Amino acid sequence: MNIKPHHKKLKADVLAISRMRSRYTGSHRPGLIRCNTQLATQHPTKADLDWAAGFLEGEGSFGHYGKTSLHNGSERVSAAQKQEECLYRLARLFGGRVGKYRKENIRGRIFCYWQINGTLARGLMMTLFPLLSKWRRKQITQALAMGT
């Protein structure tokens, strides 16, 4: 498959921006993309949003984390599972990062997680808000209120 010259330039620009973002190593501040956060690689359709709302309704977490006396914290949307396929789909649609951790209390099983923070999380919360249950809407409302 041949890539047209202007597509090569666009791809190079995207990679350059991605590298610039990955150099950010200062303390986490709300609204900034963390150094290992990937940007979305595809635009979600209505069907994708419906799928994500259903998946995060059952497997997700919406909250505000990291609030201290010196730092106001940041909103976070996350999900964890043993299988990583759905988590990579979320990362393709909305960005964020996928990682692994070992749960010692469950015989050392390895679990996968996906999460987004700050601006990306706030945007996803507001996008999915009308598609979620009252309980999840309350979580989102509380998380967004803590950041103000």
Side-chain angles (χ1 to χ4, degrees), residues 16-73:
I17 291 169
S18 158
R19 284 189 202 108
M20 285 189 300
R21 289 179 191 262
S22 70
R23 289 188 187 132
Y24 172 71
T25 57
S27 63
H28 176 66
R29 296 181 202 132
L32 291 177
I33 297 174
R34 293 186 61 163
C35 59
N36 53 356
T37 298
Q38 298 297 314
L39 299 176
T41 58
Q42 71 184 73
H43 295 285
T45 64
K46 174 69 170 123
D48 290 329
L49 293 175
D50 291 339
W51 171 83
F55 182 79
L56 292 172
E57 180 74 45
E59 301 290 332
S61 171
F62 299 86
H64 191 276
Y65 301 91
K67 189 166 186 165
T68 66
S69 60
L70 299 174
H71 186 268
N72 202 25

Side-chain angles (χ1 to χ4, degrees), residues 79-85 87-88 98-102 109-114:
Q81 280 199 317
K82 288 190 281 183
Q83 304 297 323
E84 56 190 28
E85 180 182 344
L87 304 176
Y88 279 110
V98 176
K100 295 182 180 184
Y101 66 95
R102 184 179 303 275
R109 279 197 175 151
I110 295 177
F111 286 82
C112 301
Y113 69 89
W114 163 82

